Amino acid sequence: MTITANSQLPNRFPQNLESINNHKANNLLATLGAELVYVQDGTGRYLSFYWQKSDLLGFNPEQIVADGNSQEVFAPVDKISYTERLHQVMTNSVPEKFPFWFSCHQNLFELELVMSPIIPPLGTAATTVLVMGRLLQVKANNQEINVSITTPTQIDLASRSQQHQRLVNKITRNIRRTLDLDAIWQQTVDSLGKALRLERCIICPYQPSSSKVRVIAEYHQPDRVSMLGLEIDVTKEQAFAQALSTLEPIIMEVPGYDLCPQQKILVVATCYQDQANGLIAINLRDECYPLTNSEIELAKEVADQLGTAIAHATLYKELEAARQKAEEASRLKSEFLANVSHEIRTPLNGMIGFLKLILEGMADDAEERNQFLSEAHQLSLHLLNIINDILDIAKIEAGKMELVCAPVKLEELFSDVDNFMRPQAEVKNLSFRMQLPPTSDEIVVEGNYQRLLQVMLNIVGNAIKFTHEGGITVTADVVLKKGKFQEQQFPGMVRVRIADTGIGVSLDQQDKLFQLFSQVDGSRTRQYGGTGLGLAISQKLVETMGGEVHFYSLGEGLGSTVTFTVPLYQQPVMLSSSDSSSSID
C-alpha cells in the first residue's frame, strides 16, 4: 500500500509577508483565532501585528508596523533576552513557550507567548518568526489594570526556584575553587548578572570602621554607565544601612538613585559569624515578578556563602602577607648579621694588627708606637659605637628603652655637635653650617641630652658620609603650637633640619630607611660602612622623647633632608625677622 501525503500547505500566509499591505496582513492574522499575533524578522522588526485588546489598551497596531522604530512603541522590557530567544528559535527551528513583559506608552504588559519559526524552503535558514500570545496582566503608571490578570502558576514558581537554586550551587562551587578575593567578587556578579539577565549587580566590601563602601566588582548591561570604583556613603542610603543593621535582604524602591532610577533594588549584606563584610546590590528590572519568600531566602544563602568565602580569602591573604613579612624579616636579619659581622671584624682585625706590631717590636720609635696605639684606640671606639647600636636595638625591640628627660639647652647641644662633626666635614672639603633660630633668650628643650646628641651625631654623620661635594646645613626653628606628651603639656616644638647635597635616595626606597634590619642598598654598606641602624635608632629615640623624624629626598643624586622634633621646655622670646639669627660657620 502506498500513501501519498499532500505537500501543499493551506495558502494562509503569502510567501513574502513584506509584499502585502498592513491592513490585509492584520486581517489575515486575526483569522488564526489567537488574542495576540505578530510576525518579526531577525532584528525584531514587526512585519505584521494584530491584538484583540489594542483598542481597549489605547494603541494602533498599524502604527507599530508602519513605524520604523516600532520596538520603541511596543518593546520587550528585556530586549537582550528577547532577542536571544528570537535567534534561538530561528536557529533551532523549534517553537518555544514563555512569559514575557512588554512596555508600551509607559504601560507594562505581561504576555504568555508561543514563538514559532516560519519554515523557509529547504536549504535556507529561517529569517522570520510567528508569535501568538495572550495577555496575563497590565501595569499602568505602577497601578494594576484589571485586564485578564493571571498570577504565576505553581509550576512557574517551582521552575524559577529550581533555576535560582542551580545558580546558588554554581556560585558556591565557583567561589570555593579560589582564595583570590578579586576573582570571588567578579565571578559572583557575573554569575548573577548573566543568569538572571540583570541590568546591574554590584559588590562592595565593608569595614565596620568606615561609613563608606566602594564598588569593587560590577556586572552591567552595555547601555549602562559603569559604577566601578564609586564610593557610596551607607549612612545616606537607607537600603544599604538597613541591610547592614539587620543582616537580612532588603527590597526597596529608590526613586532617582543612580543604581536603578525609579526601580527597586535588592540589597543583602554578606556576613561571617554575624559580622557584615560586604554588600550585594541588584537592580530588580523584573519588578513585575515579585520575589517569593523562597527566592529571598536563596539571596540570603548566596550572601552567606559569599561572606564565608570572603572571610576565608581575607584570612588566607593576611596569613600569606604575614608569612612573606616573616620571610622578609628573616632575610633582612641574615643580611644585617652579615653586615654587622663584617663591621665588627674590621675594627677588631685593625686593633689586633696594630697591637701585634707593638708587641713584636715592629715600631721604629716611640712616636710610631704611639701612632699605632692611637689607631687601635680609634678602632676600639668605632667598635664600641657598633656594639652600642646593637644593644640599643635589642632594648628597643624588647621594649626596655627607658629615658630620663630633663631640660636641655639647644645651643650647648649644637656646640657639641659642631665640635664633633666639623673636623670630619673639613677632611672631605665639605662646607658645614649650623644655625639657631633668632631669640632673645636661650632655647631649652625637654629631652635626654646624651640621646639627643646621639641622634644628631647619627644623622649628621650619615650626611657627611654620603656627601662627596657641597656641604651640610643644620638649622632649627621654633613651632609655637601647644602639645601634650605623656600627660605633660608643652608650649611648642623645636624642629631640627639636617640638609645635605649628597647622593640622595630614590623615592621608592625611602620607606626602608626607618625599618629595622633594612637598608636601602646592601652593596652601599660595604662601600660606605656602617650597620644601617642609625636612622631606625634615631627615630625610636626621638619618638620616646615625644617627637617625630621625617626624611625627604627628591631622588638619587639630589641630596636629602632629615628633620626631627623635640618638645620645648619653655617658650622663648622670638626676635623679629629683621634681626639676624645665631649661626656657627
Side-chain angles (χ1 to χ4, degrees):
M1 178 184 295
T2 302
I3 299 175
T4 303
N6 184 3
S7 62
Q8 296 298 319
L9 294 176
N11 188 20
R12 184 156 293 190
F13 290 98
Q15 291 183 352
N16 186 357
L17 287 169
E18 294 185 70
S19 66
I20 64 175
N21 62 52
N22 295 337
H23 182 72
K24 290 182 179 180
N26 292 343
N27 288 339
L28 185 60
L29 295 178
T31 63
L32 294 176
E35 177 186 318
L36 169 68
V37 186
Y38 60 85
V39 177
Q40 285 180 305
D41 63 11
T43 65
R45 184 167 59 97
Y46 294 100
L47 305 180
S48 57
F49 190 94
Y50 168 78
W51 197 359
Q52 291 178 358
K53 293 183 171 61
S54 57
D55 293 337
L56 177 63
L57 298 171
F59 64 88
N60 185 0
E62 294 184 0
Q63 181 185 358
I64 292 178
V65 177
D67 192 347
N69 295 321
S70 56
Q71 280 196 309
E72 301 300 324
V73 178
F74 185 79
V77 174
D78 188 346
K79 295 180 182 179
I80 296 177
S81 175
Y82 183 84
T83 304
E84 288 176 356
R85 282 184 179 271
L86 189 150
H87 290 163
Q88 182 175 334
V89 168
M90 289 193 301
T91 302
N92 298 335
S93 294
V94 177
E96 288 193 13
K97 179 182 177 181
F98 55 92
F100 220 85
W101 282 89
F102 280 70
S103 64
C104 181
H105 301 311
Q106 297 182 346
N107 298 329
L108 292 174
F109 304 91
E110 184 184 19
L111 304 171
E112 185 178 30
L113 303 176
V114 176
M115 182 181 291
S116 304
I118 297 179
I119 305 299
L122 287 174
T124 59
T127 58
T128 54
V129 294
L130 171 67
V131 183
M132 294 183 288
R134 61 183 175 181
L135 180 64
L136 298 179
Q137 62 174 317
V138 180
K139 286 189 177 182
N141 297 324
N142 296 326
Q143 297 297 322
E144 293 190 2
I145 301 176
N146 293 323
V147 181
S148 303
I149 298 177
T150 303
T151 59
T153 65
Q154 290 298 322
I155 296 177
D156 293 334
L157 293 177
S159 176
R160 285 169 57 187
S161 178
Q162 291 176 2
Q163 177 190 2
H164 294 165
Q165 186 63 59
R166 287 194 297 269
L167 176 60
V168 172
N169 295 337
K170 178 182 177 182
I171 293 174
T172 302
R173 287 195 303 270
N174 287 340
I175 64 180
R176 285 179 177 175
R177 291 173 181 171
T178 180
L179 289 172
D180 184 347
L181 273 174
D182 293 333
I184 289 173
W185 285 322
Q186 195 59 49
Q187 285 179 4
T188 302
V189 294
D190 286 345
S191 298
L192 289 171
K194 292 176 182 178
L196 302 179
R197 297 183 176 90
L198 302 174
E199 283 194 358
R200 190 190 304 278
C201 176
I202 63 171
I203 287 182
C204 308
Y206 172 72
Q207 295 289 341
S209 59
S210 175
S211 64
K212 293 184 178 181
V213 294
R214 188 169 64 89
V215 179
I216 198 70
E218 177 188 30
Y219 172 89
H220 66 91
Q221 294 297 339
D223 59 337
R224 295 291 181 181
V225 178
S226 175
M227 294 178 62
L228 198 63
L230 178 68
E231 281 196 347
I232 301 173
D233 191 340
V234 296
T235 61
K236 296 181 180 179
E237 301 297 340
Q238 185 178 357
F240 284 58
Q242 193 171 342
L244 288 172
S245 62
T246 63
L247 298 183
E248 295 290 337
I250 302 298
I251 300 175
M252 187 173 295
E253 187 169 347
V254 190
Y257 183 51
D258 290 339
L259 181 61
C260 46
Q262 298 179 349
Q263 295 189 36
K264 292 182 180 179
I265 58 171
L266 167 65
V267 181
V268 57
T270 64
C271 61
Y272 179 70
Q273 296 182 346
D274 295 330
Q275 295 293 323
N277 57 13
L279 285 162
I280 306 175
I282 294 174
N283 181 353
L284 295 179
R285 181 170 57 179
D286 290 336
E287 60 172 352
C288 310
Y289 294 105
L291 293 178
T292 63
N293 291 333
S294 61
E295 289 171 338
I296 293 176
E297 285 299 318
L298 282 176
K300 192 174 187 308
E301 183 180 344
V302 170
D304 290 342
Q305 294 286 351
L306 182 59
T308 302
I310 291 174
H312 290 171
T314 302
L315 179 60
Y316 173 79
K317 192 174 182 179
E318 291 174 352
L319 291 174
E320 182 66 16
R323 183 187 66 81
Q324 292 179 359
K325 186 176 181 180
E327 290 179 353
E328 179 67 8
S330 176
R331 185 190 67 80
L332 291 175
K333 283 190 176 183
S334 298
E335 183 178 323
F336 165 77
L337 290 175
N339 290 334
V340 166
S341 64
H342 171 77
E343 288 297 315
I344 291 176
R345 283 197 304 268
T346 299
L348 272 177
N349 288 333
M351 291 166 56
I352 292 171
F354 283 120
L355 293 175
K356 186 178 180 181
L357 289 175
I358 295 173
L359 290 175
E360 293 179 353
M362 300 299 293
D364 294 335
D365 50 36
E367 182 179 355
E368 188 173 29
R369 184 174 65 252
N370 290 337
Q371 182 180 356
F372 289 165
L373 288 173
S374 177
E375 293 290 345
H377 179 255
Q378 291 296 326
L379 290 170
S380 67
L381 293 178
H382 177 63
L383 179 61
L384 179 62
N385 288 333
I386 294 174
I387 294 174
N388 284 336
D389 283 351
I390 297 172
L391 293 176
D392 285 342
I393 284 295
K395 288 181 180 179
I396 289 171
E397 284 200 308
K400 295 182 178 181
M401 177 64 72
E402 297 180 359
L403 299 180
V404 177
C405 294
V408 176
K409 294 181 179 180
L410 190 62
E411 185 176 1
E412 291 183 3
L413 181 64
F414 269 46
S415 178
D416 286 346
V417 171
D418 183 76
N419 292 334
F420 280 113
M421 307 309 297
R422 183 177 293 277
Q424 297 183 26
E426 291 176 348
V427 168
K428 297 183 67 175
N429 294 320
L430 301 175
S431 65
F432 189 80
R433 183 168 179 266
M434 302 188 69
Q435 180 175 317
L436 289 169
T439 59
S440 61
D441 56 353
E442 291 182 328
I443 299 176
V444 182
V445 298
E446 179 79 4
N448 183 284
Y449 180 83
Q450 291 299 327
R451 293 302 185 180
L452 284 174
L453 181 61
Q454 178 183 350
V455 168
M456 291 200 67
L457 292 180
N458 269 333
I459 298 175
V460 176
N462 281 341
I464 295 174
K465 181 193 301 184
F466 296 109
T467 301
H468 302 296
E469 58 182 0
I472 292 89
T473 302
V474 182
T475 60
D477 57 270
V478 178
V479 181
L480 296 178
K481 183 179 180 181
K482 292 183 178 180
K484 186 177 182 181
F485 179 70
Q486 294 182 347
E487 304 302 323
Q488 186 175 355
Q489 294 285 347
F490 294 100
M493 306 289 286
V494 169
R495 180 170 52 230
V496 179
R497 180 183 291 103
I498 299 97
D500 63 64
T501 58
I503 62 176
V505 178
S506 62
L507 298 177
D508 59 333
Q509 296 289 332
Q510 293 179 19
D511 58 337
K512 295 182 179 180
L513 288 170
F514 297 102
Q515 295 178 10
L516 292 177
F517 311 114
S518 176
Q519 295 173 321
V520 171
D521 185 355
S523 62
R524 285 187 178 182
T525 302
R526 297 304 176 97
Q527 179 181 354
Y528 293 98
T531 61
L533 296 176
L535 275 180
I537 293 174
S538 299
Q539 183 187 46
K540 297 298 182 182
L541 292 175
V542 170
E543 289 176 350
T544 303
M545 290 182 283
E548 297 178 347
V549 180
H550 297 283
F551 179 90
Y552 308 94
S553 177
L554 295 177
E556 293 188 6
L558 300 175
S560 59
T561 300
V562 179
T563 66
F564 72 89
T565 57
V566 61
L568 270 172
Y569 176 74
Q570 62 185 20
Q571 181 174 334
V573 178
M574 306 300 297
L575 297 178
S576 63
S577 57
S578 60
D579 296 323
S580 60
S581 59
S582 175
S583 63
I584 305 174
D585 292 320

